Amino acid sequence: MRLHRLEVTAFGPFADAQRIDFDALSGAGIFLLHGPTGAGKTSVLDAVCYALYGSVPGPRQAPGTSLRSDHAAAGTPTQVTLELTAGGRRLEITRRPEQDRPKKRGTGTTKDKAQSLLREHTGEGWQPLSRSHQEIGEEIEQLLGMSREQFCQVVLLPQGEFARFLRADEAARGRLLGRLFDTRRFAAVEAVLGERRRAAEARVRAGDEKVLHTAQRLAQAAGDGADLRAWPLPRHQPGDPGLAEAVRAWAAVARCSARERLTVAEYALAAVEGRHAAARRAAEDARELDRLQRRHAETVRRTAVLAEAAPERERVRALLDRARRGALVAPALELRGAAFAAHLAAAHAEAAARAELPPPLAEAGAEQLAAVEQRLREDLGALGAAHRAEQRSAEIGRERADLERESRAAEEQHQESAEWLERWESLRATLRERLDAAQQAATLAEQLAGRLEPARMHLEAARRRDAFAADAERAEAELLTAREESAAARERWLELKEARLRGIAAELAGALVAGEPCAVCGSAEHPAPARPAPGHVDRAAEDDAHALLEGAEAARAAVERRLAAAGEARAQAAAAAGDATTAELLAQSADLSSRHAAAQASAAGLHAARERLARAEREHAARSADRLAAAERAAARASRREALDRERASLETELALVRGDAPTVAARARTLEDRVRMVSGAAAALRRAESTAARLKEADDQLADAAFKAGFDTVDAAADAVLPEYERTALQSRLDTWQAEEAMLGDRRGESDTAAAAALPPAAPDAAEAYAAQAAAKLRTAGSAYDAARVRCADLDGLSRQAEQELRALGPLREAYDRVARLAGLTAGTSADNERKMRLEAYVLAARLEQVAAAATVRLLRMSGGRYTLVHSDARAGGRGRSGLGLHVVDAWTGSERDTATLSGGETFFASLALALGLADVVTDEAGGMRLDTLFIDEGFGSLDDQTLDEVLDVLDSLRERDRSVGIVSHVADLRTRVQAQLEIVKQRGGSRVLHRTGALTD
């Protein structure tokens, strides 16, 4: 893969379009990418990664992080274009992230979706291939043979991460190598085997639990009579291989015991059944004899009672005969009573009606009262015409009152309209003034709105300027402290280093071995080795001081970067805010806001003012028309009042003659109607009294005739003989009961077995029943024992068969679990067969790490002058740790092998660089041998001395073989004199720029 051209617009710190020609930079083999902190060096690498994979590396892809430049103009879209060669194909990738842009119409912004375009250069020029994000991503990943994570590790070599890799434990190394070499399938094998082991273990345990549950049911079925001395459960648990034989043996013993108990219960049941049958027959005989004896005694007693009731029977029979004859006279009695009641009521009504009549009519007959009623009705009919005349007079009064009311209302309305029309001119002028004022306020609000938004933007920029100024002041104070701490740490480290060098002889003497040559002089004899002086400084103390120095330097650099960022942000905010102070801008913004709000409030009444003026003009036209119509209606009402007065005077003259002394015709009519009702009621009451008297006389005659025919001497005697129906029914029921009792007792006296039983001794049924009940209880007990023994045998046989089936099914499950458990333990590194406790994934990664160490050693030997070699170690880790991913460095000067975490800062850099380059070679081979013609190395050169830097650059220069180019990202000033081809990022107020340097400055 080779990069040719990169173009970025509104991306990161780059506001305008910037073009990077990698072909020109690659001509020298090595090129330098440098610039001040925050200028955008890393953003160039982010743009390359974003063009290829649609995302930027690692933490810079955090949620909410925008790729768009804050310096770019609102209408400039964010875009990245990368031209490269991969797999022999010349490709161009253009990507635009999702971003906001100004609306084409109106104000505000709208969101544009992310866009991608892939083109390929052929003999006919650039041909588009795809616009799909997914298709482009799959095509690029297939061509490069690397995921985004692998690309960021192999092409954009992050030295800090590989330095951590050298010092990391085996778990951290495993995570990094697992991402690069994609060993997820081996981890998946471990997971699958572990899952299968757990599933097999669960099946075996479930089978054991099932067998134990069946054994529990066997114990429950065996009952208290089972011998529990060989019971398997207290000694065997799930997973115990001896559980099967124990359950089988105990089940056989339980079945034999249950069959013996069944035989004993069967013999006991046969004996109890014979005794129960004899007792049941004796109890039945005693019950029958007791029944017959009690029946005979009851018959004798009831016969005596019936003989004592003979006089009462005769009295009831006579009373019932007299009541039957009285029932024949009852209808005539009821008829006479009804006639008497009706006559009495009619007489009372007649007396009341005559009391209401006037004295001349108090003794009048029915015909005289009818004649009077006829005369009154004729007078009442003559009042109909007068009643209608009176109604018309009342209507005239109401109509005239309505005319008066309408006249008053019309007069008031006329007066109101006249007054309103007098005020019309002044009202119209006022409404016109309000309308003009609202129109002027609307115009002013539009003007103030255009000035308000820039003022608010300037105020916000001024506030940011003040905040960034405060941040810069704090950062300057922190920087002064950090510099002092860094100087103190450096001085301390130099003192310790100097002290160690002064006592280096004692340190070398400590490594001398008798009989072995000295590393300094080569002598095998050591007559007077140096001794450590008081306060001797060893290597650990020096390394600790150097670590403190590095921490202080890192803290100082972080504060410097924060100070530079705050200064740049302050300058941008100051440019946007202008020269005015925050207080002045705040006052200006507040004044514009208040004036704009007041203008908007005044302009809000513009529409209402127009509506009020239009309504007033419509009301003026309506009131003018109403004033003319009101005069015409007033003349018509005056004429109508005169006509109504004449008609009413004529009607009142006629009504005065008809009403007489009554106030109204209606009152006169009510008086006549009351007299008609009184006379007609008296006549009707007189006629009813005469009719009821005739019906009463007829009823008396019928009653006397009925009493004579029923055999009674007088009517009163017949009335006394009448009894209610329920009394007659009760008397008849008593006679029927006596007759039925007499017939039943006659039948009983004829029974021979009852008489014979009475001659025998009294029976004892309770004793016989008690003996039979005891025999039945014994029979139930014996039957229950037999049934329980039979069910127990059947249950034990069934459960034994079930237990045997479960034990047979458990055998294959246990064998399968043993096989899977051995495999899972071996791949997980927990098995005793796995001596080094290496997981399967770690085993594969160890082979990859061994390849990486071998590839890295080729370059590390050259960088270190043949001193250091990287080797892979699979030594078993201490404690409970796993092994397989150890990484050691062999020092050819001392012949010792030690952990890579013990390397110094400079040694760690070129070791991590060699490791990164070696890893790139291995990952490239893993990806199918894809050639990587462009590499980037990010920082770390500042920790090297001049000689080591030359050696590292020689190694990097060797990478140019077969036309390969290497880009170095660094702040080190010495590199600018050693590397001719340079790409400089210049930080400016309006956004960073890219400058190409190839000996002479070119833009």
Side-chain angles (χ1 to χ4, degrees):
M1 181 202 72
R2 172 178 290 277
L3 304 182
H4 300 292
R5 173 179 53 89
L6 175 66
E7 294 181 359
V8 294
T9 303
F11 183 88
F14 305 109
D16 301 325
Q18 302 294 321
R19 186 178 188 275
I20 300 175
D21 189 353
F22 286 110
D23 287 338
L25 294 172
S26 301
I30 299 178
F31 62 92
L32 177 64
L33 177 60
H34 68 96
T37 301
K41 300 185 298 298
T42 306
S43 296
V44 174
L45 308 183
D46 290 347
V48 172
C49 186
Y50 177 72
L52 291 173
Y53 295 96
S55 60
V56 297
R60 294 189 291 278
Q61 188 63 21
T65 303
S66 175
L67 300 178
R68 180 169 177 80
S69 174
D70 296 332
H71 304 283
T76 303
T78 299
Q79 178 174 300
V80 176
T81 301
L82 177 64
E83 183 181 345
L84 73 157
T85 297
R89 300 168 61 185
R90 186 77 170 244
L91 302 174
E92 181 189 74
I93 308 170
T94 301
R95 292 188 186 270
R96 286 189 179 184
E98 184 181 75
Q99 54 191 297
D100 294 331
R101 64 164 176 82
K103 293 183 178 179
K104 296 180 179 179
R105 295 182 180 179
T107 60
T109 61
T110 184
K111 189 175 292 295
D112 281 344
K113 295 182 179 180
Q115 303 177 25
S116 297
L117 173 63
L118 176 62
R119 300 195 303 171
E120 182 175 4
H121 191 276
T122 62
E124 299 178 358
W126 290 102
Q127 301 295 328
L129 296 181
S130 176
R131 291 184 177 273
S132 169
H133 304 300
Q134 183 177 359
E135 290 180 359
I136 294 174
E138 293 174 353
E139 181 73 16
I140 295 302
E141 190 164 342
Q142 182 177 1
L143 284 173
L144 300 183
M146 291 179 287
S147 64
R148 180 176 66 87
E149 290 77 9
Q150 291 175 319
F151 178 83
C152 294
Q153 293 288 343
V154 174
V155 179
L156 311 179
L157 301 178
Q159 295 306 298
E161 185 168 343
F162 278 98
R164 289 192 296 272
F165 180 81
L166 288 173
R167 296 186 175 91
D169 56 10
E170 297 189 5
R173 288 175 184 159
R175 288 193 293 271
L176 175 60
L177 293 174
R179 292 198 307 268
L180 294 177
F181 294 106
D182 192 14
T183 56
R184 289 174 296 180
R185 59 188 182 277
F186 301 103
V189 170
E190 297 176 19
V192 168
L193 287 175
E195 185 64 31
R196 289 185 180 179
R197 179 187 61 77
R198 289 189 292 273
E201 182 181 7
R203 287 193 293 270
V204 170
R205 183 169 291 276
D208 288 343
E209 294 288 350
K210 194 173 182 181
V211 170
L212 291 176
H213 178 67
T214 304
Q216 291 281 6
R217 293 177 60 191
L218 278 168
Q220 293 175 0
D224 299 334
D227 185 5
L228 295 178
R229 288 176 295 178
W231 177 235
L233 291 189
R235 296 182 299 278
H236 298 278
Q237 298 298 325
D240 190 347
L243 178 64
E245 295 303 325
V247 171
R248 288 191 179 99
W250 190 87
V253 173
R255 290 197 302 272
C256 292
S257 176
R259 290 193 180 92
E260 292 177 358
R261 295 167 67 185
L262 176 61
T263 302
V264 173
E266 187 175 2
Y267 284 116
L269 178 62
V272 172
E273 283 179 345
R275 291 194 294 271
H276 175 260
R280 188 173 64 250
R281 287 191 298 272
E284 290 175 354
D285 294 342
R287 285 197 300 272
E288 181 63 19
L289 178 60
D290 180 68
R291 185 186 69 80
L292 292 175
Q293 288 177 348
R294 286 188 285 104
R295 184 180 179 86
H296 181 269
E298 180 68 14
T299 301
V300 173
R301 183 186 64 77
R302 292 173 69 176
T303 300
V305 171
L306 186 62
E308 293 175 358
E312 180 66 14
R313 290 173 62 188
E314 292 300 327
R315 187 188 70 79
V316 170
R317 187 178 289 109
L319 185 61
L320 184 61
D321 179 67
R322 190 166 177 269
R324 289 194 184 99
R325 290 186 291 111
L328 300 176
V329 185
L333 284 172
E334 293 178 357
L335 181 61
R336 196 264 175 190
F340 178 76
H343 178 65
L344 184 62
H348 284 300
E350 179 187 4
R354 287 187 179 276
E356 294 180 355
L357 293 174
L361 298 178
E363 300 296 331
E367 291 78 2
Q368 185 179 359
L369 291 174
V372 173
E373 179 183 0
Q374 181 64 29
R375 288 197 303 272
L376 292 174
R377 291 186 180 279
E378 291 175 355
D379 294 342
L380 184 60
L383 292 177
H387 182 67
R388 288 190 294 274
E390 188 178 42
Q391 289 178 346
R392 174 58 184 162
S393 177
E395 290 176 358
I396 290 173
R398 288 191 297 273
E399 185 176 355
R400 196 176 187 289
D402 292 341
L403 289 175
E404 291 292 338
R405 188 167 53 255
E406 290 176 0
S407 297
R408 288 193 298 272
E411 183 64 25
E412 292 174 358
Q413 183 179 3
H414 182 270
Q415 183 66 25
E416 180 185 358
S417 298
E419 294 175 355
W420 191 91
L421 291 174
E422 290 177 359
R423 299 193 308 270
W424 163 241
E425 294 299 331
S426 62
L427 176 61
R428 180 168 60 179
T430 302
L431 293 178
R432 282 288 185 185
E433 291 176 358
R434 292 179 181 177
L435 178 60
D436 295 341
Q439 184 67 46
Q440 293 174 1
T443 303
L444 179 59
E446 292 179 359
Q447 295 174 355
L448 292 175
R451 297 169 55 191
L452 180 59
E453 187 60 28
R456 288 176 176 172
M457 293 176 62
H458 290 161
L459 175 60
E460 183 62 27
R463 287 172 174 170
R464 291 199 307 272
R465 177 192 61 195
D466 296 344
F468 289 138
D471 291 344
E473 291 179 0
R474 288 193 296 269
E476 288 175 355
E478 293 177 7
L479 179 59
L480 180 60
T481 303
R483 285 174 177 172
E484 292 175 354
E485 293 177 353
S486 176
R490 180 176 294 277
E491 184 178 356
R492 175 61 177 166
W493 172 63
L494 292 175
E495 290 176 355
L496 292 178
K497 185 173 183 179
E498 184 178 357
R500 180 171 175 245
L501 291 175
R502 287 195 300 266
I504 195 65
E507 185 175 338
L508 294 174
L512 294 177
V513 179
E516 294 185 3
C518 175
V520 178
C521 65
S523 175
E525 297 180 359
H526 317 298
R531 301 297 179 185
H536 174 70
V537 178
D538 57 3
R539 181 182 180 86
E542 180 186 354
D543 290 343
D544 292 341
H546 188 268
L548 292 176
L549 171 61
E550 290 181 343
E553 287 291 334
R556 180 186 57 78
V559 174
E560 287 178 347
R561 289 193 295 271
R562 194 162 77 251
L563 178 59
E568 181 179 358
R570 177 187 179 184
Q572 294 176 354
D579 299 331
T581 64
T582 304
E584 294 173 350
L585 292 174
L586 179 61
Q588 180 183 0
S589 178
D591 178 60
L592 288 174
S593 297
S594 61
R595 292 170 59 194
H596 179 260
Q600 279 188 326
S602 300
L606 177 60
H607 179 72
R610 290 173 177 170
E611 289 295 326
R612 284 195 294 270
L613 179 59
R615 285 197 302 271
E617 291 176 346
R618 290 193 296 271
E619 186 176 359
H620 173 263
R623 287 181 181 272
S624 299
D626 289 345
R627 186 172 58 178
L628 297 177
E632 296 176 357
R633 288 194 297 272
R637 281 192 291 270
S639 176
R640 179 61 178 168
R641 277 197 303 271
E642 293 176 357
L644 290 176
D645 290 342
R646 288 193 299 270
E647 183 180 1
R648 187 176 185 182
S650 176
L651 291 174
E652 288 297 329
T653 302
E654 297 176 0
L655 290 174
L657 298 175
V658 176
R659 285 195 294 262
D661 56 354
T664 62
V665 174
R668 176 66 178 167
R670 285 194 296 273
T671 301
L672 292 176
E673 289 174 354
D674 292 341
R675 291 178 182 176
V676 168
R677 281 194 299 273
M678 180 179 64
V679 172
S680 64
L686 181 61
R687 287 192 293 271
R688 283 195 299 275
E690 293 174 352
S691 174
T692 55
R695 288 201 301 273
L696 178 60
K697 182 178 182 306
E698 183 180 358
D700 288 338
D701 296 340
Q702 292 177 355
L703 177 61
D705 185 54
F708 177 75
K709 291 180 179 181
F712 295 102
D713 296 336
T714 63
V715 173
D716 295 336
D720 293 338
V722 175
L723 292 177
E725 181 65 22
Y726 69 91
E727 292 185 5
R728 294 199 307 271
T729 302
L731 293 174
Q732 184 63 46
S733 176
R734 294 181 65 187
L735 286 176
D736 294 343
T737 301
W738 281 324
Q739 292 175 358
E741 181 77 4
E742 186 176 12
M744 184 269 295
L745 293 175
D747 294 338
R748 285 191 178 183
R749 286 192 295 271
E751 296 175 352
S752 57
D753 55 349
T754 305
L760 297 175
D766 294 338
E769 286 289 345
Y771 182 74
Q774 293 176 359
K778 293 179 180 179
L779 177 61
R780 288 193 297 271
T781 302
S784 298
Y786 173 75
D787 291 339
R790 180 173 50 80
V791 171
R792 183 181 298 110
C793 289
D795 291 345
L796 289 174
D797 291 340
L799 291 173
S800 296
R801 289 191 297 272
Q802 179 179 345
E804 184 63 29
Q805 293 174 358
E806 293 171 353
L807 290 172
R808 290 177 181 175
L810 186 58
L813 295 179
R814 196 179 299 280
E815 294 176 1
Y817 168 70
D818 292 339
R819 290 194 303 271
V820 173
R822 286 196 301 272
L823 285 174
L826 187 62
T827 58
T830 58
S831 172
D833 298 333
N834 192 332
E835 297 179 358
R836 297 188 178 276
K837 299 174 65 175
M838 289 180 64
R839 295 171 47 242
L840 177 60
E841 184 182 14
Y843 179 78
V844 176
L845 292 177
R848 291 290 188 266
L849 182 58
E850 188 172 1
Q851 296 174 0
V852 171
T857 297
V858 176
R859 295 182 174 86
L860 181 58
L861 285 172
R862 186 171 178 181
M863 292 181 189
S864 63
R867 178 178 180 182
Y868 293 118
T869 302
L870 284 176
V871 294
H872 161 252
S873 173
D874 58 358
R876 180 169 178 175
R880 300 173 57 89
R882 304 291 177 84
S883 59
L885 296 179
L887 192 62
H888 290 174
V889 60
V890 178
D891 190 344
W893 291 4
T894 62
S896 61
E897 179 178 337
R898 53 194 172 96
D899 194 90
T900 54
T902 62
L903 294 172
S904 65
E907 293 170 342
T908 299
F909 167 71
F910 59 69
S912 62
L913 176 58
L915 184 66
L917 295 174
L919 182 62
D921 292 340
V922 174
V923 173
T924 301
D925 295 338
E926 177 78 10
M930 168 62 68
R931 176 179 170 82
L932 301 177
D933 294 325
T934 305
L935 297 176
F936 292 92
I937 301 175
D938 191 0
E939 290 299 347
F941 293 87
S943 60
L944 304 180
D945 54 34
D946 293 341
Q947 181 180 353
T948 306
L949 181 59
D950 289 336
E951 294 172 351
V952 170
L953 291 178
D954 289 342
V955 173
L956 296 179
D957 191 57
S958 67
L959 297 177
R960 292 188 298 170
E961 298 174 0
R962 294 180 293 176
D963 201 21
R964 176 181 288 182
S965 62
V966 179
I968 300 174
V969 183
S970 178
H971 288 282
V972 178
D974 194 25
L975 286 174
R976 301 179 191 176
T977 61
R978 297 170 182 260
V979 180
Q980 297 301 317
Q982 298 178 15
L983 182 67
E984 182 180 3
I985 310 300
V986 180
K987 182 167 62 174
Q988 297 178 342
R989 183 184 298 272
S992 298
R993 295 178 57 207
V994 175
L995 298 179
H996 292 75
R997 295 179 182 271
T998 55
L1001 179 62
T1002 59
D1003 190 352

